[in-house]
Amino acid sequence: MVAHVVRNHGGRLELESEEGRGTCVTVSWPSAKPGTEERYVG
């Protein structure tokens, strides 16, 4: 589910896991152009 959302927004999801050491999750998002930010006002 997370990978689907990330890809649909132009991002990339990377997972690295090693037994006994844990898991590293990297989420990369593309840079936004100035003035195109969306802000949540709740």
Side-chain angles (χ1 to χ4, degrees):
M1 181 93 168
V2 172
H4 181 74
V5 171
V6 170
R7 282 192 300 263
N8 280 347
H9 288 86
R12 188 175 74 231
L13 181 68
E14 297 178 22
L15 298 170
E16 293 181 42
S17 185
E18 189 174 327
E19 190 172 339
R21 294 204 58 187
T23 302
C24 178
V25 179
T26 304
V27 179
S28 301
W29 297 100
S31 297
K33 295 177 184 174
T36 61
E37 285 186 27
E38 291 184 25
R39 295 182 184 216
Y40 174 76
V41 179

